[in-house]
Amino acid sequence: QVQLVESGGGLVKSGGSLRLSCAASRRTFSTYAMGWFRQAPGKEREFVGAISRSGGSTYYADSMKGRFTISRDNAKNTVDLQMNSLKPEDTAVYYCNAVFAISMATPLGSWGQGTQVTVSS
């Protein structure tokens, strides 16, 4: 089992910023790379980006490059997603999960509840 709790979502205007946080169990966080995913209503989950186990490498989907930044704090067992220049098309429920590698975005555990991000136009 992978224990995950996402937080930090909310309603923002176009062009605004949000910082999401994901808390994982110490066992999960110490073992795996961590990824962010999102799902809009009626759509499949899509990969946002990921960070390596050490935090030394990151990978982002093309639509997120230059706007989103992933970081992790191994002492606190948390991974954050800083989102800038938000657009209405970023509206979705955002999830985190463990992954084997940052470029192999296959989730390894069960999904948490996610956190809702809504961007108004």
Side-chain angles (χ1 to χ4, degrees), residues 13 17 21 31-32 68 73 78-79 86 90 98 112:
K13 295 180 179 179
S17 298
S21 185
T31 303
Y32 304 108
F68 292 5
D73 187 335
T78 57
V79 58
L86 284 164
D90 294 319

Side-chain angles (χ1 to χ4, degrees), residues 70-86:
I70 299 171
S71 60
R72 69 188 293 161
D73 187 335
N74 290 347
K76 297 180 179 179
N77 301 322
T78 57
V79 58
D80 287 0
L81 176 65
Q82 177 66 47
M83 305 185 294
N84 300 323
S85 301
L86 284 164

Side-chain angles (χ1 to χ4, degrees), residues 14-62:
S14 180
S17 298
L18 281 174
R19 190 176 185 91
L20 309 183
S21 185
C22 169
S25 70
R26 187 169 70 88
R27 180 173 60 189
T28 294
F29 207 86
S30 66
T31 303
Y32 304 108
M34 297 295 296
W36 282 95
F37 304 78
R38 69 184 185 185
Q39 186 171 27
K43 302 292 194 300
E44 295 182 345
R45 270 184 233 264
E46 67 172 332
F47 175 65
V48 172
I51 188 166
S52 64
R53 179 181 175 182
S54 68
S57 299
T58 54
Y59 182 91
Y60 302 96
D62 287 343

Side-chain angles (χ1 to χ4, degrees), residues 65-114:
K65 290 180 179 178
R67 299 190 299 122
F68 292 5
T69 303
I70 299 171
S71 60
R72 69 188 293 161
D73 187 335
N74 290 347
K76 297 180 179 179
N77 301 322
T78 57
V79 58
D80 287 0
L81 176 65
Q82 177 66 47
M83 305 185 294
N84 300 323
S85 301
L86 284 164
K87 307 172 182 179
E89 52 262 44
D90 294 319
T91 295
V93 178
Y94 285 71
Y95 304 86
C96 64
N97 214 323
V99 296
F100 271 133
I102 59 174
S103 60
M104 301 288 181
T106 302
L108 298 178
S110 299
W111 297 105
Q113 293 184 347

Side-chain angles (χ1 to χ4, degrees), residues 7-12 18 20 83 86 91-92 115-120:
S7 62
L11 174 64
V12 298
L18 281 174
L20 309 183
M83 305 185 294
L86 284 164
T91 295
T115 185
Q116 175 72 51
V117 172
T118 303
V119 184
S120 62

